[in-house]
Amino acid sequence: MAMEKQCTYLIFDESVARSEPAELSAGLEAADARTKIATMKKIIILMLNGEQLGSLLMKVIQFIVPNDDKTLKKLLYLYLEAVEKRGPDGHLLPEMILICNMIRNDLNHPNEFVRGSALRFMSKMREKDILEPLVSSLRTNLEHRHSYVRRNAVLGIYNTYRCFEDLMPDAPEVIGEFIDGESDVSAKRNAFVMLCNCDQERAVQYQLSVIDQIASMGDIIQLNMLELIRKVCRQDPYQKSKYVRAVFGLQSTASNSVAFECASTLVSLSTAQTAVRTAVQAYCQLLSTHSDNNVKLIVLDKLSDLQKKHPDVLKTLIMDIIRGLSSPNIDIKKKVLDLVMELVNPTTIDEVIAVLKKEIVKTQTGDVEKTTEYRAMLVQAIHTCVIKFPEIAATVVHVLIDFIDDSNGNSASEVMLFVREVVETYPRLRELVVSKLTDFFPAIKVGKVFRVAMWIFSEYCLSEAEIESAIATIQASLGSLPLIDDDTLEQAENTAVQHAAKTPAVLADGTYASQSSAGAGPSLVNKDEAPSLRSLLLGGDFFLAAMIASSLTKLLLRLAACKGVAKDTINRYVGECMHVFCSMVRLGLSGATPSRMDDDCQERLWLCLMMLQDPYDARMCEIWTQKCRQSYGTLLVQKQKEVAAQAEEKEEGKTKIKAHADDLLSFRQLRGKGVVVTEIEDEDALDMSRATGAAEEEDFGSRLKRVMQLTGLSDPIYAEAVVTVHDYDIVLDVLLINQTSEPLSNVCLELATVGDLKLCERPQNYSMAPHASITIRANIKVSSTETGIIYGNIVYDKSQEGKDSNSATTEGSNMVILNDIHIDIMDYITPATCTLLQFRCMWAEFEWENKVAVNTSMTDPVAYLRHIVACTNMNCLTHIDDEDGECGFLAANLYAKSIFGEDALVNISVEKQRDGTLGGNLRIRSKTQGIALSLGDKITLKQKNVEAAKK
């Protein structure tokens, strides 16, 4: 008797409506074969959906079994797989005798398709009473002339021997003789699979007998050969030498799947450089030639794993790996670049840079979105190479400067920031960069790129000729002055007065605000005009106006410090710059632009005007011309220290002590054959233990920290839970203790959730003896990063004898309410890092924002920042130096990622008030609402009670 109901296939079709058995019976009795076919399909789908149609079995036998139609024959066997074959008493239905007779006739049928269908049915059958009378017919089909029949006959014998060995005790011997004389690849493969699982010793003997011919066999049997090799070598490491040569021979096969498995087998069998090199070459060949992107991603993951164990081997093959950049998929390109950046070394840096430069030139043509993202990745890769190998900076900077005229702001800004860092780090490239920037300045299209370019002019133009050239370049981009004429100014003022009105507006977050509605005059920007400083200013970019003023002021202060420059020349430039500043202020306050100039920009412009009144003030000149550059140099030094520290941590991780001097020595030659050598363990064999957490040991103390009391000590049932968070799962190990002297029946733990949590199992009933305890495990799926709540109760029944007049019962049922379990969002958040440019892009893209006011008893802004970082498990992207002394204000960016790939951004702006307390705001942004709200609640809770948070 079968222990459980078997299901060999599933079909879902929601369009099939439920029908009455009489209607289906009429369809089976129809004379038309098409009607029978449609009815059989409907019956099969309804049965798979849970309908009980066993009453139709005799109708099927009566009207479908005698039919010779091939489609009906196939549907008949599918029906027999799904139909219930035993009655309520557990005995085989009498109708199955007729089915056995039909199957026997089909096993001897002259048509090979009919025989094959019957044999496929037998390969899925687990009813001994049906299989037993068919064994003799099953044997005879091994000698059929058609390979389709023979391969299915092997599967039938395999199923019979595996489920009921006593029906065919000599099956391995029969299949062993069959495989020696078989020529069909599929039939031979099925026979070999059976031997591997039923008689491994016989399979090994056959494999060794044909080991020299494995390369000429079909790929489907080669894959099974490799699987057996790994299995045998795990059990007996001494067998490695017999198979390594055969695996090397299979490496040159034309099948991609076999090549991949050969590479995995070689790595698992041997750690020799020759074997690893051959495996890496096979992976690289797949990376370059295979068309499936999923396969390429899997291959790159394999290469990443090998890079951790055998980095020296992969470094010699870095040029083979970098060929993966030819793939059009952006994810593959990113993985390839990340891997190449780990492997690049002084020997290969020149070749890698040459390839990267060719790739960045290719991005000038093609799809704008993809090429822009890819170009940013290439720039970042080149930047990483320059940090590791400073001597190559001169070879790449002139190539990158050509891309500062990109219309995409992110890509051009990435290039510009890299150029700025190169100029500061390598002074010998200063003249080259300044000269190239002067040539390309008119072609720049983005405001942030203009700002960085002018900062470079103001800090690195040192000679008189360079300074005058930079000033002329900026003035040429500004055009003629004033920026707005009197007629346009008067028209803008009149329009603003006429249309000014107060109207309520609904902001993006749903709140109301008042707005000033002013009918704007004609646009000052000509759409056909190329972007320049003038067009950006007329478009309302007054942060750029502040940068223009600051840069021109620095240039004039440097020019005044140059020897041999006449005062008349200085005064002429001062007058021209003051004219520029006043024109920008007039434009910003006119109301003719889309937005008015803010107070910060006005203050900056007035400060620059005051500086130009006395350009020879030595103290102020030092602050403007030296301190700013020194601050940037300090920032770069700190950044390089962080990179070096990360590299050192990575090296320490690689050199982690794996064995101590007093550890027990293990000699392989003295081991028994049953002992498995871990150095050749197949990595795939450990996947299950890693996934279930069995590979990680946990001490008892850390487990006690996660115990939560769910009921009181005086409750009839005491309950406590150990909460374990595994990425996408939450496991509750709930301990129940019967504290009464009476047996309890129908004890049921009922749980419910709030948030994106989902229970995986239905509650079950238990019986508990007096003072007995049981442990119930509940699994909960997590689908997003937000704070969740688990609540519930325990329902139980007392024995009738145990009741008294004081017990509060309702029809014998009792209930204990459980304390709520709050799932902390910090279990899902991990610190992460990103560039400042990436942070700004995400900040502009994310629409959910949660604003939290600073409310704390702390008085030090830096200490408050450290406290928030520790409480939120985030990474501070802004460098904060504790040695700089006290500071009255602080602004910093924090970043983290959740296990679901969600980004969490936090901007902290804190200012020390006059009374010594801290004020300000924390702004949290994310793509989803849950993480923004949950993180805000966490910060609000932790910042109030600092002492409790520290504990």
Side-chain angles (χ1 to χ4, degrees), residues 534-548:
R534 186 185 187 89
S535 63
L536 292 173
L537 288 175
L538 295 177
D541 187 355
F542 293 112
F543 185 33
L544 181 62
M547 192 65 220
I548 293 172

Side-chain angles (χ1 to χ4, degrees), residues 74 376 494 550 572 632:
K74 183 176 181 180
N494 294 335
S550 177
R572 176 170 59 83
Y632 180 63

Side-chain angles (χ1 to χ4, degrees), residues 146-389:
H146 203 285
S147 60
Y148 178 71
V149 176
R150 297 197 302 272
R151 77 179 68 146
N152 285 295
V154 174
L155 293 178
I157 294 174
Y158 177 28
N159 177 67
T160 304
Y161 182 80
R162 181 180 55 184
C163 298
F164 311 103
E165 185 177 342
D166 57 309
L167 294 181
M168 291 188 69
D170 60 339
E173 291 84 353
V174 173
I175 296 300
E177 296 174 0
F178 168 80
I179 196 173
D180 290 330
E182 181 57 45
S183 58
D184 181 69
V185 177
S186 297
K188 186 177 290 189
R189 179 256 181 195
N190 292 346
F192 186 73
V193 169
M194 177 185 170
L195 291 178
C196 290
N197 291 282
C198 299
D199 192 348
Q200 183 174 314
E201 185 177 352
R202 192 181 298 274
V204 171
Q205 292 176 0
Y206 171 75
Q207 187 179 49
L208 293 176
S209 66
V210 298
I211 196 166
D212 295 330
Q213 292 88 35
I214 292 179
S216 60
M217 295 181 178
D219 55 350
I220 57 175
I221 194 170
Q222 288 174 347
L223 293 173
N224 292 107
M225 291 279 186
L226 290 171
E227 183 180 354
L228 181 62
I229 289 173
R230 289 197 297 268
K231 188 175 181 181
V232 169
C233 290
R234 282 200 303 269
Q235 296 172 351
D236 186 4
Y238 302 104
Q239 304 294 328
K240 282 195 304 180
S241 58
K242 298 179 181 179
Y243 297 108
V244 170
R245 189 178 65 177
V247 177
F248 270 103
L250 283 176
Q251 196 63 54
S252 58
T253 183
S255 173
N256 290 328
S257 57
V258 175
F260 179 84
E261 290 298 329
C262 277
S264 302
T265 304
L266 278 175
V267 173
S268 64
L269 290 182
S270 175
T271 57
Q273 285 197 358
T274 305
V276 177
R277 182 187 299 274
T278 304
V280 173
Q281 288 174 343
Y283 287 143
C284 293
Q285 184 68 19
L286 289 173
L287 188 62
S288 302
T289 60
H290 208 282
S291 58
D292 192 341
N293 291 334
N294 294 321
V295 173
K296 292 184 178 182
L297 291 172
I298 294 172
V299 167
L300 286 170
D301 289 337
K302 289 285 187 181
L303 288 173
S304 299
D305 293 338
L306 286 176
Q307 184 266 332
K308 298 173 184 176
K309 301 176 182 177
H310 310 282
D312 295 335
V313 178
L314 269 73
K315 286 179 180 178
T316 61
L317 299 171
I318 187 172
M319 298 312 296
D320 294 332
I321 298 173
I322 206 172
R323 285 188 297 175
L325 292 176
S326 59
S327 172
N329 185 274
I330 195 69
D331 295 324
I332 294 174
K333 292 176 182 287
K334 185 179 185 305
K335 278 183 170 287
V336 171
L337 285 175
D338 292 342
L339 183 58
V340 168
M341 290 303 102
E342 294 287 338
L343 298 174
V344 66
N345 56 73
T347 307
T348 57
I349 182 63
D350 293 334
E351 295 176 303
V352 171
I353 287 295
V355 173
L356 295 180
K357 288 195 291 186
K358 288 180 181 178
E359 290 294 318
I360 206 170
V361 171
K362 290 180 184 177
T363 58
Q364 292 178 333
T365 59
D367 187 4
V368 176
E369 291 187 11
K370 292 183 179 179
T371 55
T372 300
E373 185 179 357
Y374 182 39
R375 186 184 304 150
M377 290 163 47
L378 290 171
V379 171
Q380 187 64 36
I382 293 175
H383 192 180
T384 304
C385 291
V386 171
I387 293 175
K388 289 184 176 180
F389 309 98

Side-chain angles (χ1 to χ4, degrees), residues 426-490:
Y426 311 105
R428 56 190 175 85
L429 300 177
R430 182 186 60 81
E431 293 183 6
L432 170 65
V433 172
V434 170
S435 175
K436 295 273 285 185
L437 267 185
T438 305
D439 296 337
F440 279 90
F441 193 85
I444 297 176
K445 302 180 179 65
V446 184
K448 61 177 71 175
V449 181
F450 271 122
R451 294 198 296 268
V452 180
M454 288 188 292
W455 188 89
I456 292 175
F457 283 154
S458 64
E459 296 294 342
Y460 302 103
C461 289
L462 304 179
S463 65
E464 181 181 353
E466 290 176 342
I467 294 173
E468 291 181 346
S469 176
I471 294 176
T473 301
I474 296 174
Q475 289 177 337
S477 185
L478 284 171
S480 60
L481 300 176
L483 296 173
I484 181 172
D485 55 33
D486 294 336
D487 295 338
T488 307
L489 179 61
E490 183 178 355

Side-chain angles (χ1 to χ4, degrees), residues 755-861:
D756 286 340
L757 305 176
K758 183 179 179 182
L759 291 167
C760 299
E761 299 107 355
R762 294 181 179 179
Q764 297 182 7
N765 293 333
Y766 301 89
S767 296
M768 299 182 67
H771 304 291
S773 64
I774 59 172
T775 301
I776 302 174
R777 170 165 291 191
N779 293 299
I780 300 172
K781 291 289 184 183
V782 186
S783 57
S784 68
T785 308
E786 64 177 273
T787 301
I789 301 175
I790 304 173
Y791 63 96
N793 51 63
I794 300 173
V795 180
Y796 63 94
D797 294 338
K798 284 187 176 181
S799 302
Q800 296 294 328
E801 296 79 10
K803 289 186 179 181
D804 55 29
S805 58
N806 297 325
S807 60
T809 62
T810 303
E811 298 180 355
S813 296
N814 297 265
M815 181 182 295
V816 178
I817 307 298
L818 303 180
N819 293 329
D820 294 344
I821 300 175
H822 294 265
I823 304 302
D824 195 354
I825 187 178
M826 294 300 105
D827 294 328
Y828 309 125
I829 290 181
T830 55
T833 184
C834 68
T835 63
L836 182 60
L837 189 62
Q838 292 171 337
F839 185 91
R840 288 175 177 170
C841 292
M842 290 187 287
W843 187 268
E845 177 187 353
F846 294 168
E847 49 188 41
W848 287 104
E849 178 173 320
N850 187 12
K851 194 173 184 179
V852 179
V854 174
N855 183 14
T856 180
S857 59
M858 303 179 73
T859 58
D860 183 11

Side-chain angles (χ1 to χ4, degrees), residues 559-627:
L559 184 63
C562 291
K563 295 182 179 180
V565 181
K567 287 190 176 181
D568 294 342
T569 304
I570 300 295
N571 292 335
R572 176 170 59 83
Y573 279 120
V574 167
E576 293 175 357
C577 291
M578 284 185 172
H579 189 193
V580 172
F581 300 168
C582 293
S583 297
M584 291 190 295
V585 173
R586 187 185 186 195
L587 174 66
L589 302 179
S590 66
T593 54
S595 59
R596 294 177 63 88
M597 180 179 290
D598 57 89
D599 295 339
D600 290 338
C601 292
Q602 290 184 47
E603 186 176 349
R604 188 70 174 177
L605 287 166
W606 294 127
L607 179 62
C608 292
L609 281 171
M610 293 175 61
M611 278 300 305
L612 292 182
Q613 291 179 358
D614 185 9
Y616 297 101
D617 187 340
R619 182 169 174 270
M620 296 302 296
C621 285
E622 180 185 1
I623 295 174
W624 279 70
T625 60
Q626 297 181 21
K627 297 293 185 181

Side-chain angles (χ1 to χ4, degrees), residues 74-198:
K74 183 176 181 180
L75 292 173
L76 172 61
Y77 279 113
L78 290 176
Y79 168 80
L80 292 176
E81 288 183 35
V83 73
E84 186 64 45
K85 303 168 186 64
R86 293 184 178 270
D89 57 353
H91 294 89
L92 196 67
L93 294 173
E95 292 89 343
M96 287 296 122
I97 299 175
L98 300 175
I99 296 298
C100 288
N101 188 49
M102 179 208 66
I103 297 174
R104 184 185 296 108
N105 293 335
D106 286 346
L107 290 176
N108 298 314
H109 199 279
N111 184 279
E112 60 272 8
F113 175 78
V114 176
R115 285 200 185 205
S117 298
L119 290 167
R120 285 178 63 84
F121 172 73
M122 292 191 64
S123 67
K124 301 175 183 179
M125 180 54 53
R126 294 186 181 178
E127 296 290 346
K128 186 175 182 180
D129 296 334
I130 296 178
L131 291 175
E132 187 172 5
L134 303 175
V135 170
S136 59
S137 300
L138 189 59
R139 290 176 181 268
T140 59
N141 280 281
L142 284 176
E143 303 173 359
H144 195 272
R145 57 179 177 79
H146 203 285
S147 60
Y148 178 71
V149 176
R150 297 197 302 272
R151 77 179 68 146
N152 285 295
V154 174
L155 293 178
I157 294 174
Y158 177 28
N159 177 67
T160 304
Y161 182 80
R162 181 180 55 184
C163 298
F164 311 103
E165 185 177 342
D166 57 309
L167 294 181
M168 291 188 69
D170 60 339
E173 291 84 353
V174 173
I175 296 300
E177 296 174 0
F178 168 80
I179 196 173
D180 290 330
E182 181 57 45
S183 58
D184 181 69
V185 177
S186 297
K188 186 177 290 189
R189 179 256 181 195
N190 292 346
F192 186 73
V193 169
M194 177 185 170
L195 291 178
C196 290
N197 291 282
C198 299

